Amino acid sequence: MEPMTPISCPTTPRWNQDRPFLTGRFHQETRASSRFDDSKRFTPDSSSNSGVDQAIGCYDTPVQELIVIDDLLSAMVGIEGRYISIKRFHGKEESIAFQVDPSMDLALQELAKRIFPLCECFLLIDQFVESSSQFKNGLVNHAFAAALRALLLDYQAMVAQLEHQFRLGRLSLQGLWFYCQPMMGSMRALAAVIHQASAKNFVGSAVLNLLQSQAKAMAGDNSVRSLLEKMTECASNAYLSILERWVYEGIIDDPYGEFFIAENRLLKKESLSQDSTAKYWSQRYSLKETIPGFLANIAATILTTGKYLNVMRECGHNVQVPISERSKLTIFGSNHHYLECIKAAHEFASKELVSLIKDKYDLIGRLRSIKHYLLLDQGDFLVHFMDIARDELNKKVHGISVEKLQSLLDLALRTTAAAADPRHEDLTCCVDRASLLTTLGMHKDSDSNSIEDPVSITGLETFSLSYKVQWPLSIVISKKALSKYQLIFRFLFHCKHVERQLCGAWQIHQGIRSMNSNGTAIRRSSLLCRSMLKFISSLLHYLTFEVLEPNWHVMHDRLQSTKSVDEVIQHHDFFLDKCLRGCLLLLPDVLKKMEKLKSVCLQYAAATQWLISSSIDINSQSHSQKTMIRDATVTESIFNFEREFNSELQSLGPVLSKGSQAEPYLTHLSQWILGVSKE
């Protein structure tokens, strides 16, 4: 039973087995046992049997030599003679050996045995040619077998010439040995390659690597090395044809799965907008483990060249390397012409695809649009949205209507400056089910200092924006990249919410400035509100002008000079990763402190209305015992908020100072935090 192969291929026709005379093994298969297994066959008494050959020892030495030459000429093309037989050994590895009539003259036996390796090599090569020509063995083996078949034709022509000389009486056994020697080294080298390839079932790249390594190993024998290099070149032609279609057209034409680039057809381009790991670009086409040695150093370039062409074809742009720039790939030659051809094709594909996504699909414009909305570069629409969606966002996560939020978002976009942006329709809203810390894997239920109870989380902590990105821009702005944008947006959005709440509290304080509040709790509350507002405003200033804007301009400048889509992806991912770290989202200790400080600010802002109104009532009433108790309660509440805020702020200073050793950009934020804590 033939082994199963991962690639569907035609089966070998049945008549190829039913008609053994079509193959080189008929002479072995039709003779189940060696003709010399019966030792009695060579006894002198056997000569009396009619129709049976006498033992060769019965003849004189000159006659024996003629018989041996005749048998050797047959053995050299894999056919048994009268006194030379073929013996097959079965075991882990099948082998073939030639045997002679033991009654033969010893000197003739020794000469004959010197030629037997050539005969055995011929049989091995001939059998390999037959078996490797089956469909399942792939194009490389087919091409290798065709080259071997051509070599065997030359070999058989040499045997025919020797036989002609023998018929003319001009060939002795010594002469036969002399004429066989030039072919001996080449046949042995090929037989060694074939034996290893057959034993390990090599196909495709493995066969080419084996041939190349054997050619290098034969550096001291020019004729054998040249032959093996010729075999490598012939075997690689079919492989290079597959390579040509890939680097010139972006198509894998690999019927037997031999090419070193694998295609995962299960991954579709649509997955880029759904798969948070962005597997499509890295795993749709990937390198296999077995790569031809002569392509190993340029395999990554070959992979990306075809990927670029494939992307353009899926965009409806049937772009191919111009015919004028194409060249037949050959692996031999001192100038390594095939490397130059591959590099030229890569440069062409890179240039075309970068031009396509930059010019036609306006990548920079898309990134700028995402920056406006998800990085809050233009916040007028957000202010309006937070005003009209306040009630919905204040609900618990499970009670929020995403459809209502979307309609409110559309209204905010249409009634602000964002309406002038044609891409604002690609903006959508979404609500996560977990807090930012939980999403980042920093929130543990067992943590006694947990900031938020998951049950109490509202839309303000989980609201986010998303952005519709179409192919081929989804290669760069994938679901994975959008997830990073959303993490930054959620942090910025919540900071904006805290700032708005504190601004509301500050307006309340400003509304009672005309009152004589010196020495009252109102004065202390006003100072605390100012400190909190300075904290959150400076944090937003740091995030926006010291992290997002500088990194954006660096990425923008780099994208102007990129030469490949992989460079575009690299610069974009680097920008996002740097922004995530700069926005403290990859620093658990710092982020938890920031979330705690924001929580204190929100609690204070929520209590401000009660604190102020209570203080006003106290000032307007007489100093009764009940009034004094209430005044003490209000004052104590403000003191508690102040104490907690200052404590968290002071504890944040050392955390930032420690982190600034590994993250230098925290130095400015650390200095500012220490400055606020001293007020």
Side-chain angles (χ1 to χ4, degrees), residues 440-458:
L440 291 168
M442 300 178 186
H443 182 84
K444 298 181 180 178
D445 295 337
S446 59
D447 189 355
S448 59
N449 296 322
S450 293
I451 296 168
E452 297 161 336
D453 180 2
V455 178
S456 65
I457 296 175
T458 65

mmCIF file with all atom_site columns, all heavy atoms in Angstrom, residues 440-458:
data_model
loop_
_atom_site.group_PDB
_atom_site.id
_atom_site.type_symbol
_atom_site.label_atom_id
_atom_site.label_alt_id
_atom_site.label_comp_id
_atom_site.label_asym_id
_atom_site.label_entity_id
_atom_site.label_seq_id
_atom_site.pdbx_PDB_ins_code
_atom_site.Cartn_x
_atom_site.Cartn_y
_atom_site.Cartn_z
_atom_site.occupancy
_atom_site.B_iso_or_equiv
_atom_site.pdbx_formal_charge
_atom_site.auth_seq_id
_atom_site.auth_comp_id
_atom_site.auth_asym_id
_atom_site.auth_atom_id
_atom_site.pdbx_PDB_model_num
ATOM 1   N N   . LEU A 1 440 ? -6.233  44.698 30.479 1.00 0.00 ? 440 LEU A N   1
ATOM 2   C CA  . LEU A 1 440 ? -4.776  44.624 30.379 1.00 0.00 ? 440 LEU A CA  1
ATOM 3   C C   . LEU A 1 440 ? -4.194  43.503 31.225 1.00 0.00 ? 440 LEU A C   1
ATOM 4   O O   . LEU A 1 440 ? -2.974  43.301 31.248 1.00 0.00 ? 440 LEU A O   1
ATOM 5   C CB  . LEU A 1 440 ? -4.156  45.956 30.799 1.00 0.00 ? 440 LEU A CB  1
ATOM 6   C CG  . LEU A 1 440 ? -4.396  47.128 29.845 1.00 0.00 ? 440 LEU A CG  1
ATOM 7   C CD1 . LEU A 1 440 ? -3.996  48.436 30.496 1.00 0.00 ? 440 LEU A CD1 1
ATOM 8   C CD2 . LEU A 1 440 ? -3.629  46.924 28.547 1.00 0.00 ? 440 LEU A CD2 1
ATOM 9   N N   . GLY A 1 441 ? -5.061  42.771 31.963 1.00 0.00 ? 441 GLY A N   1
ATOM 10  C CA  . GLY A 1 441 ? -4.582  41.671 32.784 1.00 0.00 ? 441 GLY A CA  1
ATOM 11  C C   . GLY A 1 441 ? -3.926  42.115 34.071 1.00 0.00 ? 441 GLY A C   1
ATOM 12  O O   . GLY A 1 441 ? -3.126  41.380 34.657 1.00 0.00 ? 441 GLY A O   1
ATOM 13  N N   . MET A 1 442 ? -4.234  43.344 34.531 1.00 0.00 ? 442 MET A N   1
ATOM 14  C CA  . MET A 1 442 ? -3.612  43.879 35.744 1.00 0.00 ? 442 MET A CA  1
ATOM 15  C C   . MET A 1 442 ? -4.550  43.829 36.952 1.00 0.00 ? 442 MET A C   1
ATOM 16  O O   . MET A 1 442 ? -4.145  44.117 38.066 1.00 0.00 ? 442 MET A O   1
ATOM 17  C CB  . MET A 1 442 ? -3.190  45.343 35.522 1.00 0.00 ? 442 MET A CB  1
ATOM 18  C CG  . MET A 1 442 ? -2.188  45.529 34.410 1.00 0.00 ? 442 MET A CG  1
ATOM 19  S SD  . MET A 1 442 ? -1.798  47.276 34.181 1.00 0.00 ? 442 MET A SD  1
ATOM 20  C CE  . MET A 1 442 ? -0.762  47.202 32.716 1.00 0.00 ? 442 MET A CE  1
ATOM 21  N N   . HIS A 1 443 ? -5.807  43.482 36.710 1.00 0.00 ? 443 HIS A N   1
ATOM 22  C CA  . HIS A 1 443 ? -6.795  43.507 37.790 1.00 0.00 ? 443 HIS A CA  1
ATOM 23  C C   . HIS A 1 443 ? -7.020  42.089 38.282 1.00 0.00 ? 443 HIS A C   1
ATOM 24  O O   . HIS A 1 443 ? -7.366  41.194 37.514 1.00 0.00 ? 443 HIS A O   1
ATOM 25  C CB  . HIS A 1 443 ? -8.110  44.088 37.282 1.00 0.00 ? 443 HIS A CB  1
ATOM 26  C CG  . HIS A 1 443 ? -9.164  44.199 38.349 1.00 0.00 ? 443 HIS A CG  1
ATOM 27  N ND1 . HIS A 1 443 ? -9.225  45.259 39.207 1.00 0.00 ? 443 HIS A ND1 1
ATOM 28  C CD2 . HIS A 1 443 ? -10.186 43.375 38.688 1.00 0.00 ? 443 HIS A CD2 1
ATOM 29  C CE1 . HIS A 1 443 ? -10.259 45.092 40.025 1.00 0.00 ? 443 HIS A CE1 1
ATOM 30  N NE2 . HIS A 1 443 ? -10.846 43.951 39.734 1.00 0.00 ? 443 HIS A NE2 1
ATOM 31  N N   . LYS A 1 444 ? -6.800  41.850 39.557 1.00 0.00 ? 444 LYS A N   1
ATOM 32  C CA  . LYS A 1 444 ? -6.991  40.533 40.152 1.00 0.00 ? 444 LYS A CA  1
ATOM 33  C C   . LYS A 1 444 ? -8.095  40.615 41.199 1.00 0.00 ? 444 LYS A C   1
ATOM 34  O O   . LYS A 1 444 ? -8.115  41.515 42.040 1.00 0.00 ? 444 LYS A O   1
ATOM 35  C CB  . LYS A 1 444 ? -5.688  40.036 40.794 1.00 0.00 ? 444 LYS A CB  1
ATOM 36  C CG  . LYS A 1 444 ? -4.553  39.856 39.790 1.00 0.00 ? 444 LYS A CG  1
ATOM 37  C CD  . LYS A 1 444 ? -3.313  39.342 40.476 1.00 0.00 ? 444 LYS A CD  1
ATOM 38  C CE  . LYS A 1 444 ? -2.162  39.161 39.474 1.00 0.00 ? 444 LYS A CE  1
ATOM 39  N NZ  . LYS A 1 444 ? -0.939  38.696 40.143 1.00 0.00 ? 444 LYS A NZ  1
ATOM 40  N N   . ASP A 1 445 ? -8.970  39.622 41.158 1.00 0.00 ? 445 ASP A N   1
ATOM 41  C CA  . ASP A 1 445 ? -10.069 39.604 42.116 1.00 0.00 ? 445 ASP A CA  1
ATOM 42  C C   . ASP A 1 445 ? -9.571  39.464 43.548 1.00 0.00 ? 445 ASP A C   1
ATOM 43  O O   . ASP A 1 445 ? -10.201 39.910 44.491 1.00 0.00 ? 445 ASP A O   1
ATOM 44  C CB  . ASP A 1 445 ? -11.026 38.448 41.789 1.00 0.00 ? 445 ASP A CB  1
ATOM 45  C CG  . ASP A 1 445 ? -11.706 38.665 40.450 1.00 0.00 ? 445 ASP A CG  1
ATOM 46  O OD1 . ASP A 1 445 ? -11.785 39.827 40.021 1.00 0.00 ? 445 ASP A OD1 1
ATOM 47  O OD2 . ASP A 1 445 ? -12.140 37.675 39.831 1.00 0.00 ? 445 ASP A OD2 1
ATOM 48  N N   . SER A 1 446 ? -8.417  38.800 43.694 1.00 0.00 ? 446 SER A N   1
ATOM 49  C CA  . SER A 1 446 ? -7.889  38.571 45.037 1.00 0.00 ? 446 SER A CA  1
ATOM 50  C C   . SER A 1 446 ? -7.147  39.776 45.594 1.00 0.00 ? 446 SER A C   1
ATOM 51  O O   . SER A 1 446 ? -6.731  39.781 46.739 1.00 0.00 ? 446 SER A O   1
ATOM 52  C CB  . SER A 1 446 ? -6.944  37.361 45.024 1.00 0.00 ? 446 SER A CB  1
ATOM 53  O OG  . SER A 1 446 ? -5.873  37.592 44.126 1.00 0.00 ? 446 SER A OG  1
ATOM 54  N N   . ASP A 1 447 ? -6.979  40.792 44.770 1.00 0.00 ? 447 ASP A N   1
ATOM 55  C CA  . ASP A 1 447 ? -6.248  41.991 45.206 1.00 0.00 ? 447 ASP A CA  1
ATOM 56  C C   . ASP A 1 447 ? -7.120  42.811 46.156 1.00 0.00 ? 447 ASP A C   1
ATOM 57  O O   . ASP A 1 447 ? -8.197  43.290 45.791 1.00 0.00 ? 447 ASP A O   1
ATOM 58  C CB  . ASP A 1 447 ? -5.860  42.826 43.972 1.00 0.00 ? 447 ASP A CB  1
ATOM 59  C CG  . ASP A 1 447 ? -4.923  43.960 44.340 1.00 0.00 ? 447 ASP A CG  1
ATOM 60  O OD1 . ASP A 1 447 ? -4.665  44.147 45.536 1.00 0.00 ? 447 ASP A OD1 1
ATOM 61  O OD2 . ASP A 1 447 ? -4.469  44.656 43.408 1.00 0.00 ? 447 ASP A OD2 1
ATOM 62  N N   . SER A 1 448 ? -6.653  42.992 47.363 1.00 0.00 ? 448 SER A N   1
ATOM 63  C CA  . SER A 1 448 ? -7.438  43.725 48.357 1.00 0.00 ? 448 SER A CA  1
ATOM 64  C C   . SER A 1 448 ? -7.535  45.204 48.046 1.00 0.00 ? 448 SER A C   1
ATOM 65  O O   . SER A 1 448 ? -8.388  45.910 48.563 1.00 0.00 ? 448 SER A O   1
ATOM 66  C CB  . SER A 1 448 ? -6.809  43.543 49.750 1.00 0.00 ? 448 SER A CB  1
ATOM 67  O OG  . SER A 1 448 ? -5.465  44.028 49.742 1.00 0.00 ? 448 SER A OG  1
ATOM 68  N N   . ASN A 1 449 ? -6.640  45.691 47.173 1.00 0.00 ? 449 ASN A N   1
ATOM 69  C CA  . ASN A 1 449 ? -6.643  47.111 46.818 1.00 0.00 ? 449 ASN A CA  1
ATOM 70  C C   . ASN A 1 449 ? -7.332  47.360 45.488 1.00 0.00 ? 449 ASN A C   1
ATOM 71  O O   . ASN A 1 449 ? -7.038  48.313 44.792 1.00 0.00 ? 449 ASN A O   1
ATOM 72  C CB  . ASN A 1 449 ? -5.195  47.642 46.762 1.00 0.00 ? 449 ASN A CB  1
ATOM 73  C CG  . ASN A 1 449 ? -4.520  47.593 48.113 1.00 0.00 ? 449 ASN A CG  1
ATOM 74  O OD1 . ASN A 1 449 ? -5.137  47.855 49.136 1.00 0.00 ? 449 ASN A OD1 1
ATOM 75  N ND2 . ASN A 1 449 ? -3.233  47.246 48.115 1.00 0.00 ? 449 ASN A ND2 1
ATOM 76  N N   . SER A 1 450 ? -8.198  46.442 45.083 1.00 0.00 ? 450 SER A N   1
ATOM 77  C CA  . SER A 1 450 ? -8.896  46.590 43.812 1.00 0.00 ? 450 SER A CA  1
ATOM 78  C C   . SER A 1 450 ? -9.631  47.922 43.775 1.00 0.00 ? 450 SER A C   1
ATOM 79  O O   . SER A 1 450 ? -10.302 48.311 44.732 1.00 0.00 ? 450 SER A O   1
ATOM 80  C CB  . SER A 1 450 ? -9.883  45.439 43.619 1.00 0.00 ? 450 SER A CB  1
ATOM 81  O OG  . SER A 1 450 ? -9.173  44.230 43.463 1.00 0.00 ? 450 SER A OG  1
ATOM 82  N N   . ILE A 1 451 ? -9.502  48.598 42.667 1.00 0.00 ? 451 ILE A N   1
ATOM 83  C CA  . ILE A 1 451 ? -10.076 49.937 42.544 1.00 0.00 ? 451 ILE A CA  1
ATOM 84  C C   . ILE A 1 451 ? -11.560 49.874 42.230 1.00 0.00 ? 451 ILE A C   1
ATOM 85  O O   . ILE A 1 451 ? -12.354 50.657 42.711 1.00 0.00 ? 451 ILE A O   1
ATOM 86  C CB  . ILE A 1 451 ? -9.328  50.704 41.442 1.00 0.00 ? 451 ILE A CB  1
ATOM 87  C CG1 . ILE A 1 451 ? -7.879  50.896 41.856 1.00 0.00 ? 451 ILE A CG1 1
ATOM 88  C CG2 . ILE A 1 451 ? -9.980  52.041 41.162 1.00 0.00 ? 451 ILE A CG2 1
ATOM 89  C CD1 . ILE A 1 451 ? -6.996  51.373 40.738 1.00 0.00 ? 451 ILE A CD1 1
ATOM 90  N N   . GLU A 1 452 ? -11.945 48.902 41.403 1.00 0.00 ? 452 GLU A N   1
ATOM 91  C CA  . GLU A 1 452 ? -13.311 48.869 40.921 1.00 0.00 ? 452 GLU A CA  1
ATOM 92  C C   . GLU A 1 452 ? -13.936 47.511 41.155 1.00 0.00 ? 452 GLU A C   1
ATOM 93  O O   . GLU A 1 452 ? -13.293 46.481 40.982 1.00 0.00 ? 452 GLU A O   1
ATOM 94  C CB  . GLU A 1 452 ? -13.346 49.188 39.413 1.00 0.00 ? 452 GLU A CB  1
ATOM 95  C CG  . GLU A 1 452 ? -12.859 50.582 39.101 1.00 0.00 ? 452 GLU A CG  1
ATOM 96  C CD  . GLU A 1 452 ? -12.467 50.701 37.639 1.00 0.00 ? 452 GLU A CD  1
ATOM 97  O OE1 . GLU A 1 452 ? -12.158 49.673 37.042 1.00 0.00 ? 452 GLU A OE1 1
ATOM 98  O OE2 . GLU A 1 452 ? -12.474 51.811 37.124 1.00 0.00 ? 452 GLU A OE2 1
ATOM 99  N N   . ASP A 1 453 ? -15.179 47.538 41.563 1.00 0.00 ? 453 ASP A N   1
ATOM 100 C CA  . ASP A 1 453 ? -15.974 46.326 41.635 1.00 0.00 ? 453 ASP A CA  1
ATOM 101 C C   . ASP A 1 453 ? -16.588 46.112 40.257 1.00 0.00 ? 453 ASP A C   1
ATOM 102 O O   . ASP A 1 453 ? -17.285 46.998 39.739 1.00 0.00 ? 453 ASP A O   1
ATOM 103 C CB  . ASP A 1 453 ? -17.064 46.494 42.692 1.00 0.00 ? 453 ASP A CB  1
ATOM 104 C CG  . ASP A 1 453 ? -17.920 45.241 42.814 1.00 0.00 ? 453 ASP A CG  1
ATOM 105 O OD1 . ASP A 1 453 ? -17.623 44.269 42.100 1.00 0.00 ? 453 ASP A OD1 1
ATOM 106 O OD2 . ASP A 1 453 ? -18.873 45.258 43.606 1.00 0.00 ? 453 ASP A OD2 1
ATOM 107 N N   . PRO A 1 454 ? -16.355 44.959 39.618 1.00 0.00 ? 454 PRO A N   1
ATOM 108 C CA  . PRO A 1 454 ? -16.873 44.745 38.266 1.00 0.00 ? 454 PRO A CA  1
ATOM 109 C C   . PRO A 1 454 ? -18.359 45.007 38.135 1.00 0.00 ? 454 PRO A C   1
ATOM 110 O O   . PRO A 1 454 ? -18.836 45.426 37.087 1.00 0.00 ? 454 PRO A O   1
ATOM 111 C CB  . PRO A 1 454 ? -16.535 43.279 37.998 1.00 0.00 ? 454 PRO A CB  1
ATOM 112 C CG  . PRO A 1 454 ? -15.359 42.986 38.875 1.00 0.00 ? 454 PRO A CG  1
ATOM 113 C CD  . PRO A 1 454 ? -15.554 43.823 40.094 1.00 0.00 ? 454 PRO A CD  1
ATOM 114 N N   . VAL A 1 455 ? -19.115 44.786 39.212 1.00 0.00 ? 455 VAL A N   1
ATOM 115 C CA  . VAL A 1 455 ? -20.562 45.006 39.141 1.00 0.00 ? 455 VAL A CA  1
ATOM 116 C C   . VAL A 1 455 ? -20.888 46.490 39.000 1.00 0.00 ? 455 VAL A C   1
ATOM 117 O O   . VAL A 1 455 ? -21.899 46.875 38.416 1.00 0.00 ? 455 VAL A O   1
ATOM 118 C CB  . VAL A 1 455 ? -21.244 44.416 40.403 1.00 0.00 ? 455 VAL A CB  1
ATOM 119 C CG1 . VAL A 1 455 ? -22.747 44.669 40.372 1.00 0.00 ? 455 VAL A CG1 1
ATOM 120 C CG2 . VAL A 1 455 ? -20.957 42.931 40.509 1.00 0.00 ? 455 VAL A CG2 1
ATOM 121 N N   . SER A 1 456 ? -20.023 47.368 39.547 1.00 0.00 ? 456 SER A N   1
ATOM 122 C CA  . SER A 1 456 ? -20.303 48.804 39.566 1.00 0.00 ? 456 SER A CA  1
ATOM 123 C C   . SER A 1 456 ? -19.721 49.541 38.377 1.00 0.00 ? 456 SER A C   1
ATOM 124 O O   . SER A 1 456 ? -19.845 50.757 38.291 1.00 0.00 ? 456 SER A O   1
ATOM 125 C CB  . SER A 1 456 ? -19.751 49.413 40.861 1.00 0.00 ? 456 SER A CB  1
ATOM 126 O OG  . SER A 1 456 ? -18.329 49.309 40.880 1.00 0.00 ? 456 SER A OG  1
ATOM 127 N N   . ILE A 1 457 ? -19.078 48.830 37.472 1.00 0.00 ? 457 ILE A N   1
ATOM 128 C CA  . ILE A 1 457 ? -18.453 49.496 36.315 1.00 0.00 ? 457 ILE A CA  1
ATOM 129 C C   . ILE A 1 457 ? -19.525 50.053 35.398 1.00 0.00 ? 457 ILE A C   1
ATOM 130 O O   . ILE A 1 457 ? -20.497 49.379 35.063 1.00 0.00 ? 457 ILE A O   1
ATOM 131 C CB  . ILE A 1 457 ? -17.558 48.501 35.553 1.00 0.00 ? 457 ILE A CB  1
ATOM 132 C CG1 . ILE A 1 457 ? -16.403 48.040 36.434 1.00 0.00 ? 457 ILE A CG1 1
ATOM 133 C CG2 . ILE A 1 457 ? -17.021 49.132 34.278 1.00 0.00 ? 457 ILE A CG2 1
ATOM 134 C CD1 . ILE A 1 457 ? -15.548 46.976 35.803 1.00 0.00 ? 457 ILE A CD1 1
ATOM 135 N N   . THR A 1 458 ? -19.323 51.274 34.966 1.00 0.00 ? 458 THR A N   1
ATOM 136 C CA  . THR A 1 458 ? -20.272 51.930 34.064 1.00 0.00 ? 458 THR A CA  1
ATOM 137 C C   . THR A 1 458 ? -19.669 52.064 32.670 1.00 0.00 ? 458 THR A C   1
ATOM 138 O O   . THR A 1 458 ? -18.520 51.700 32.427 1.00 0.00 ? 458 THR A O   1
ATOM 139 C CB  . THR A 1 458 ? -20.624 53.325 34.601 1.00 0.00 ? 458 THR A CB  1
ATOM 140 O OG1 . THR A 1 458 ? -19.441 54.151 34.567 1.00 0.00 ? 458 THR A OG1 1
ATOM 141 C CG2 . THR A 1 458 ? -21.137 53.239 36.030 1.00 0.00 ? 458 THR A CG2 1
#
